[in-house]
Amino acid sequence: ALERVPPTAVAPSASAFARGLVEGNPIATAIRDAGLSFAEVEDAVARALVAEGGDTPFRSKLNALVCSGRAA
């Protein structure tokens, strides 16, 4: 079965959510390898997030697909 679930993301701030998106994602390796500043990337992401879900607290709708099955 495949079900679409619309959870809501909630974080203390857009900056906190941005930190998790950047540092808790495989893209962190590419950022580090490129010699980029995590702080600068996170600030840019946070600014974009504020426009979508506010700042303090940050709230945004997400989309998730839940797949389930049973062995026969």
Side-chain angles (χ1 to χ4, degrees), residues 12-58:
S13 66
S15 293
F17 196 75
R19 188 176 343 39
L21 285 175
V22 173
E23 294 183 32
N25 190 306
I27 194 69
T29 301
I31 292 168
R32 188 178 304 110
D33 290 349
L36 300 173
S37 161
F38 279 112
E40 289 179 17
V41 173
E42 290 166 8
D43 287 347
V45 171
R47 284 192 301 274
L49 289 173
V50 167
E52 295 299 320
D55 188 13
T56 309
F58 172 75

